[in-house]
Amino acid sequence: MEMAQRKNILDLSYSRLKELVGSLGEPGYRADQIAWWVYKKLATSFDEMTDLPQQLRQQLSEVASLSSLTPVGEKISADEQTRKVLFKLDDGKTIESSLMLYASTGSSRERRTVCVSTQVGCPIGCPFCATGQQAFERNLYPGEIIEQVLYFMRQVRAEQQGKFEELDSARRPVTNVVFMGMGEPLANYESVWQAVVMLNSKHGPGLGARQITISTVGLGPQIRRLAGENIHVELAVSLHAAKDALRNELVPINKRYPLGQLIPACREYLEKTGRRPTFEYALFQGVNDSLGHARELARLLEGLNCQVNLIAGNPTKCREFAPSPRKAVLEFQRQLKESGVSSTIRGSKGADIEAGCGQLRSRWTANSSTS
Ligand code: SAH
Ligand code: SF4
């Protein structure tokens, strides 16, 4: 191809956007105008940016693009509170993202949470996870991560006409972002962090650090690195087992970063950021759901100010990993409590549309390979 590849504006940090504008001979404040259109007005073309000179809009559209995701499939849960979208990337690979709606309750405000993917496939290969069963293909670029959020912001805004004409801190079409889709966020650190910085920035959508959660399988050194950043996001660690022997099987990277490294890294995260880590524990029948497992978990977390989220595992193709029955989940929780650890039980939202990580994509790939 002769044509130089166009830059995606969403891949540029604020300072790189300034550089781009400078290279076109324009003053720095143009970068602020462009960022405002992209992240506050959710513009999808340079033509919409009516306060930019016509010539600049033309130049920009020649050297840069504003999008690299194409939605190619959508599923909506029966209760309409969860939707999941399959996106095609510029190179034809696919990823998925979901939007989860939560009504306000006595103690919490209404939330609209987007769950983003960070990689195509995942290199970690947890045996109970649909994404882990797919081949790892590549890391996502920052723009590909950010655009998943912008997509749902536009969708919500279009549905609630007039309400979110321009983003402001009181009313955002998307209130929370969780890095819990396909892939391991901390194995794609640079892109993930650039996306976090932009999502949090006053030049970007301006989401609060508390409204952003990174879920990790527990890469110790990267958790420590995260602890040193100046945006203190929420950290969720997918634990699923409290002893190395079992965790080595459920979360294979545990062999490289065993619990003896992981837990101190989480402690450091708490000390440096003041954010209480959350531990995710998916319960699979006969695998990690006995009362003995609950006591082991309590022992592991002793003295660490944290939150435990229990979830009955989502069913997958692998028969070894069947969801624990409700009764076992409740007993597990009761045992944890007796051992001094409080926990919450999470429902698996959107189970009827296979909203669990990587599930829509694996179904999609299965369908398309047979046609
Ligand atoms: N790679 C990161 C983030 C993506 S996975 C991580 O592992 O944390 C998001 C969450 O889905 C993780 O907590 C993961 O353990 C969980 N998960 C994956 N498959 C699941 C299943 N079948 N049942 C329950 N939780 C599952
Ligand atoms: Fe990767 Fe997370 Fe799935 Fe494990 S659970 S395979 S780390 S996406």
Side-chain angles (χ1 to χ4, degrees):
M1 294 258 179
E2 274 177 24
M3 211 175 80
Q5 240 199 329
R6 291 191 305 164
K7 285 184 167 53
N8 181 356
I9 292 285
L10 304 179
D11 279 331
L12 305 181
S13 63
Y14 176 66
S15 57
R16 289 260 180 274
L17 179 60
K18 276 208 144 142
E19 281 172 26
L20 173 71
V21 164
S23 75
L24 298 173
E26 293 283 334
Y29 70 85
R30 296 285 186 214
D32 296 31
Q33 288 177 302
I34 296 168
W36 181 82
W37 279 106
V38 172
Y39 297 110
K40 302 284 205 291
K41 293 289 280 184
L42 307 176
T44 52
S45 76
F46 294 107
D47 268 348
E48 288 169 59
M49 306 182 182
T50 45
D51 54 359
L52 300 185
Q54 170 63 39
Q55 195 207 341
L56 176 58
R57 280 186 261 161
Q58 179 65 34
Q59 272 180 310
L60 281 168
S61 60
E62 281 161 17
V63 299
S65 71
L66 277 174
S67 164
S68 61
L69 303 188
T70 313
V72 290
E74 176 174 290
K75 284 193 178 184
I76 299 180
S77 63
D79 66 5
E80 298 190 353
Q81 298 307 290
T82 304
R83 48 184 103 150
K84 179 152 181 160
V85 173
L86 186 74
F87 290 107
K88 197 172 182 169
L89 308 173
D90 274 348
D91 58 6
K93 299 184 191 302
T94 52
I95 54 159
E96 56 193 27
S97 326
S98 46
L99 173 73
M100 294 163 285
L101 307 175
Y102 301 88
S104 60
T105 62
S107 57
S108 66
R109 285 201 287 177
E110 185 179 87
R111 277 179 296 145
R112 289 172 294 275
T113 301
V114 172
C115 174
V116 295
S117 290
T118 55
Q119 299 181 311
V120 185
C122 179
I124 309 290
C126 306
F128 56 86
C129 166
T131 306
Q133 300 316 298
Q134 299 163 16
F136 170 65
E137 298 187 59
R138 69 167 171 87
N139 284 330
L140 294 190
Y141 297 109
E144 292 170 328
I145 299 172
I146 294 169
E147 194 176 345
Q148 297 171 57
V149 180
L150 298 184
Y151 174 85
F152 286 111
M153 285 186 161
R154 288 186 196 112
Q155 201 182 52
V156 171
R157 183 183 64 175
E159 286 165 5
Q160 308 201 7
Q161 273 181 4
K163 195 166 163 194
F164 304 108
E165 191 40 42
E166 189 183 310
L167 272 60
D168 65 53
S169 57
R171 289 193 307 182
R172 288 198 176 85
V174 166
T175 59
N176 297 69
V177 172
V178 295
F179 287 75
M180 288 188 188
M182 297 166 61
E184 166 50 39
L186 299 187
N188 181 16
Y189 196 100
E190 304 296 335
S191 293
V192 164
W193 195 252
Q194 193 184 312
V196 166
V197 168
M198 185 50 91
L199 291 171
N200 175 251
S201 165
K202 66 180 190 325
H203 300 290
L207 289 166
R210 279 211 140 86
Q211 275 65 57
I212 300 174
T213 302
I214 292 186
S215 175
T216 175
V217 75
L219 312 184
Q222 278 85 334
I223 291 176
R224 290 180 192 273
R225 182 172 171 197
L226 202 60
E229 301 284 1
N230 58 5
I231 302 170
H232 297 158
V233 298
E234 299 289 342
L235 178 69
V237 176
S238 302
L239 202 55
H240 310 318
K243 289 273 191 216
D244 281 325
L246 180 56
R247 197 163 190 268
N248 286 346
E249 285 175 38
L250 296 182
V251 181
I253 197 83
N254 190 72
K255 293 182 199 132
R256 178 124 56 103
Y257 306 112
L259 293 164
Q261 285 183 28
L262 174 57
I263 300 301
C266 295
R267 208 177 287 281
E268 181 174 329
Y269 195 79
L270 171 66
E271 281 160 11
K272 288 206 175 144
T273 65
R275 296 270 193 257
R276 260 187 345 152
T278 296
F279 291 100
E280 304 285 334
Y281 196 104
L283 292 146
F284 296 102
Q285 187 167 23
V287 174
N288 62 352
D289 66 346
S290 73
L291 298 185
H293 290 124
R295 285 190 291 269
E296 284 170 9
L297 180 58
R299 220 167 297 137
L300 179 74
L301 301 180
E302 207 180 316
L304 176 61
N305 184 6
C306 64
Q307 167 74 36
V308 172
N309 274 342
L310 301 175
I311 180 171
N314 289 320
T316 53
K317 272 183 270 172
C318 189
R319 266 186 293 138
E320 278 167 67
F321 296 99
S324 297
R326 179 81 186 159
K327 186 163 166 277
V329 177
L330 292 171
E331 281 174 8
F332 193 95
Q333 183 181 40
R334 194 170 41 77
Q335 179 61 58
L336 274 185
K337 192 167 181 208
E338 271 173 29
S339 311
V341 174
S342 73
S343 60
T344 53
I345 298 177
R346 280 200 302 148
S348 69
K349 225 170 152 45
D352 61 322
I353 56 163
E354 303 172 308
C357 135
Q359 294 186 31
L360 174 63
R361 179 174 181 262
S362 46
R363 172 62 64 86
W364 182 275
T365 317
N367 285 347
S368 53
S369 60
T370 53
S371 62

